[in-house]
Amino acid sequence: MDENKTVATDEIVETREDRQEQVEIAQTAQSDESQEQEKPAKKKAKLPKGLQKLVDKINANENVRQMVVFTLFSFICGGSQLILTLVLTQLKYAGGVLAEPFKGIPVGNFSIFGYETTAEFIGFLVGSVTGQVLTFVLNRKKTFNCTNNVVISGIMYTILAVFIIFMQTLLGGAITSACYGAMPEPSSFVGLLFNLAGQAVGGIAALVISFLGNKFLVMRNWGSKKAKTETTDSAPTEEN
């Protein structure tokens, strides 16, 4: 009898301990939930109403969105190109070959890639290459959401970039040479304006050609429409 009472007492004690543990677990869970509820919810930064409306309109049209984002990235890359070009242009003050005129390549009665100094040509060329590389990296995923083969895309972009660099260098050099022809001995500030004018004209032309070339050739997801059509045609139709 005493042994049975002892066993029964032990079971009652264990049951009470189990219940107490369950109560403590429940209280802990409730405490955690209350603490989570008390934490202030993170609010997303909201744009001004007018600006948000503009962003929504831009995102509603994919072509417009691509054009806007591409232009913004082009300004960033163009700024990097401009700074690099101006820095390298200052090498002309080192004298020597860098300070000598760069006559360019003679074509008939004209000369392409002609600059007042070799340093200016080097600066413009290096800046253009850097700008094109940055443009490719930023626009491939962010602007066009490109998923085509990166190697083929890179080759096509290189061809396009070489064409743009030739066109931009030729056009920028022509504008700069024309300015120096109108004023053969400008001051340092006016000479800087001449260089900026050439870069601005070449940059605008490069922006238009680069966008069209990237959208319809380099960054185009070839075969995506065909794949969608085949998927739609192969999808099972519901029987009436």
Side-chain angles (χ1 to χ4, degrees):
M1 291 294 292
D2 293 338
E3 291 180 357
N4 293 334
K5 289 182 180 180
T6 303
V7 172
T9 303
D10 293 340
E11 290 179 352
I12 293 172
V13 172
E14 291 178 356
T15 303
R16 288 178 179 176
E17 290 178 351
D18 293 338
R19 289 179 179 176
Q20 187 175 358
E21 288 180 359
Q22 292 177 359
V23 171
E24 290 177 355
I25 292 173
Q27 290 177 347
T28 303
Q30 291 177 356
S31 177
D32 293 338
E33 290 178 359
S34 62
Q35 287 179 0
E36 290 180 358
Q37 292 177 356
E38 290 177 358
K39 290 181 180 179
K42 293 182 179 179
K43 295 182 179 180
K44 295 182 179 179
K46 293 184 178 180
L47 296 174
K49 188 176 181 180
L51 183 58
Q52 185 62 51
K53 188 176 181 180
L54 177 62
V55 171
D56 292 339
K57 285 184 177 180
I58 291 174
N59 290 330
N61 190 312
E62 181 62 15
N63 291 325
V64 175
R65 186 198 69 81
Q66 289 178 353
M67 190 180 301
V68 171
V69 176
F70 185 88
T71 302
L72 291 175
F73 283 153
S74 295
F75 280 137
I76 295 173
C77 298
S80 302
Q81 175 181 336
L82 177 63
I83 293 173
L84 185 57
T85 300
L86 293 178
V87 169
L88 293 177
T89 298
Q90 304 309 309
L91 294 175
K92 63 184 179 182
Y93 295 110
V97 177
L98 295 174
E100 295 179 0
F102 186 81
K103 297 180 180 180
I105 303 172
V107 178
N109 296 326
F110 300 95
S111 178
I112 61 174
F113 303 114
Y115 281 84
E116 291 298 312
T117 64
T118 303
E120 291 179 14
F121 170 73
I122 293 174
F124 193 85
L125 184 62
V126 173
S128 297
V129 172
T130 303
Q132 295 302 323
V133 172
L134 288 175
T135 299
F136 176 79
V137 173
L138 291 175
N139 285 313
R140 177 170 171 79
K141 290 297 183 182
K142 299 298 182 180
T143 303
F144 299 103
N145 299 318
C146 186
T147 58
N148 62 5
N149 188 286
V150 66
V151 176
I152 297 176
S153 180
I155 293 173
M156 289 192 296
Y157 184 83
T158 301
I159 296 173
L160 178 64
V162 169
F163 171 76
I164 290 175
I165 290 171
F166 269 80
M167 181 274 299
Q168 192 174 7
T169 306
L170 175 60
L171 186 58
I175 297 297
T176 303
S177 298
C179 292
Y180 276 103
M183 186 181 294
E185 297 181 0
S187 63
S188 298
F189 178 73
V190 176
L192 177 62
L193 293 180
F194 288 170
N195 292 328
L196 291 177
Q199 291 185 49
V201 174
I204 293 173
L207 175 63
V208 175
I209 295 174
S210 181
F211 176 76
L212 295 177
N214 278 283
K215 179 175 176 60
F216 296 107
L217 180 64
V218 179
M219 304 291 183
R220 182 175 177 179
N221 292 319
W222 296 94
S224 59
K225 290 185 178 180
K226 183 178 179 180
K228 288 181 180 179
T229 304
E230 292 177 352
T231 302
T232 303
D233 294 339
S234 62
T237 56
E238 295 182 358
E239 296 182 358
N240 294 329

